[in-house]
Amino acid sequence: MPETDAPGNRDTEPPESAATPASGTRLAAERPLRSPAFRWFFVGRSISMAGNAMAPVALAFGVLEVTDSAAWLSLVTTASMVPMIATMILGGGIADRYRRDTVLRLTSLGAGLSQAGVAILLLTHQNPALLLPLAALNGIFQGLTTPALRGIVPNLAAGRGFQQASSLLASVRNTTRILGPTVAGLLTATVGGGWAIAADAASFLLAAAFFARISLPDLPPRAKGGPTMLGELRQGWDYFSSKPWIWTVTLAFAVFNAANMGVWQILGPVIANDTIGAEGWGLVLSARGVGALLASVVMVKLTVRRPMVPALSSMALAAVPLILLGTGANTLWLAAAAFVSGVVAEFFTVVWETVHYTHVPERLLSRVGAYDECLSFASIPIGQLSVPVLAAAFGTAAVAVTGGGLAAMAMLVPLLVPSLRRIEVNRDGD
């Protein structure tokens, strides 16, 4: 579907650029679960998300079992995150150049095998330095997977099915975020972190088997002398950089992610340890997960014609928990704010995915999504590294409140872009 800059004024794109479902027709436009291909994808993706939700807890305790060192845990985590971010753009080019179902099968298989290697090293208590290349390899496969996941939904659904598909996947994602850490904690406490990582590896391999049941049409033969991979990546960048409604939101989230992840993930546990305790912090995190799950369920049915204004405006509320952290709020207030944060963050996620599926040409979807995610995620390590330094200089409370204010303002700036305010979600999928 070509992008809509204003009602009744659409950019023109070649007909083949529109998002088309696997059958070449508008497949299960309103109810994607009626499509066998989407069902196979949905089950495979659900299994994979369950494993992903377990992985952080399992890896943390698994590495600590072997090394008893927070420094090693930081090294292993960074060894995975940096390659993941670095390969996202390449993954976008691959996912738009080749069949996305094939890409998902191969990357899920690779991620499963590399994670199995991590599990073996943890179970056999090998030199922790051996974990670093395997963590990096797993990060590479994850980076290659993300753009394919972003682009495959329009191959499996159409029209109003875009939002329903996004909401269904979000519901599973949020359910696993609530249950996954608990399951990982139980596995780690009973049989060890290595076995919990082995379960994550099995989830990747099982997902690859389900993805193998999806069969998208072969892509048209490439014209002789057509663009190279680099040329196609440049096409994706040209489209991304020419659409203010996309890149302004990406830059806004680069700021938001740096502030939010730095304050919430790094300072949050530190402040909570001195105020509401570990039990209170766990309750706050659970409240956020419950809010996100509720929003994803509601979004299966709720459609907003011009969604970007309410989506971004409400996202400013996602910064409130950071400010409350800095003001020393009690557990009840923090949990309530975290619940609202989960609601608005998931509302925005579903809206943003639906808008992309509707307005970005399908042939560019993975590349544009890769630039969006890579640039918005690249700031996370900066925030996580800088926040402790700033807190040492100015105090944790000041940094938390300032970070929250900065994150809230970042969400409102893109609303100054007229084309973003006018974007519509076409209910009829015309």
Side-chain angles (χ1 to χ4, degrees), residues 47-86:
I47 293 170
S48 179
M49 285 190 286
N52 287 341
M54 294 169 53
V57 172
L59 182 64
F61 285 97
V63 172
L64 291 175
E65 282 177 10
V66 174
T67 66
D68 194 27
S69 168
W72 271 112
L73 176 58
S74 177
L75 283 173
V76 172
T77 303
T78 303
S80 176
M81 176 175 284
V82 172
M84 181 188 74
I85 294 174

Side-chain angles (χ1 to χ4, degrees), residues 261-356:
M261 298 296 281
V263 172
W264 193 250
Q265 284 198 341
I266 305 301
L267 295 187
V270 174
I271 295 174
N273 191 51
D274 295 330
T275 54
I276 63 176
E279 297 84 357
W281 186 242
L283 178 62
V284 169
L285 296 180
S286 296
R288 191 185 191 285
V290 171
L293 177 60
L294 176 63
S296 59
V297 171
V298 170
M299 289 300 289
V300 172
K301 295 294 185 181
L302 178 65
T303 300
V304 182
R305 184 181 179 189
R306 292 186 178 180
M308 290 306 299
V309 171
L312 282 168
S313 299
S314 62
M315 265 302 295
L317 297 175
V320 172
L322 309 185
I323 297 173
L324 291 180
L325 269 176
T327 58
N330 60 31
T331 302
L332 181 61
W333 279 107
L334 270 174
F339 175 83
V340 173
S341 174
V343 170
V344 298
E346 200 58 47
F347 172 57
F348 177 86
T349 298
V350 173
V351 163
W352 189 236
E353 289 177 351
T354 304
V355 166
H356 269 242

